[in-house]
Amino acid sequence: MDADPVEEMSFEQALAELETIVRTLEQGSAPLDESIELYQRGDKLKRHCEARLKSAQMRIEQIALGPDGTPAGTKPFDVD
């Protein structure tokens, strides 16, 4: 399998390839050995996408409102 290194892919590239792999595996048309390789590649792509999303989320800030309801600056994004 001659594919781009996962760590060099953008989020969008990795997600598109992951979607293609999922469709291929769902169809069940690939031979067993190829299916295993696709699954392993898909796992790497999934982990890469999750890491990119987490990194982006950490950079997001939200507007903090003061007691009177007006914007008073920013604070880190809170997942909760």
Side-chain angles (χ1 to χ4, degrees), residues 13-35:
Q13 290 170 319
L15 185 59
E17 184 177 339
L18 180 56
E19 289 171 344
T20 300
I21 288 172
V22 168
R23 277 193 299 276
T24 302
L25 290 173
E26 285 178 342
Q27 291 172 355
S29 58
L32 179 60
D33 288 340
E34 183 182 340
S35 293

Side-chain angles (χ1 to χ4, degrees), residues 63-73:
I63 297 172
L65 300 177
D68 61 354
T70 60

Side-chain angles (χ1 to χ4, degrees), residues 5-73:
V6 172
E7 58 277 351
E8 294 177 13
M9 298 176 90
S10 70
F11 173 81
E12 293 77 11
Q13 290 170 319
L15 185 59
E17 184 177 339
L18 180 56
E19 289 171 344
T20 300
I21 288 172
V22 168
R23 277 193 299 276
T24 302
L25 290 173
E26 285 178 342
Q27 291 172 355
S29 58
L32 179 60
D33 288 340
E34 183 182 340
S35 293
I36 292 169
E37 288 178 23
L38 287 170
Y39 180 85
Q40 290 172 336
R41 173 87 174 166
D43 184 54
K44 288 179 187 177
L45 290 163
K46 178 182 109 20
R47 285 186 275 122
H48 178 70
C49 287
E50 288 172 341
R52 297 292 301 258
L53 283 173
K54 185 174 183 176
S55 174
Q57 189 175 31
M58 290 171 57
R59 294 192 315 249
I60 294 173
E61 293 183 340
Q62 61 186 154
I63 297 172
L65 300 177
D68 61 354
T70 60

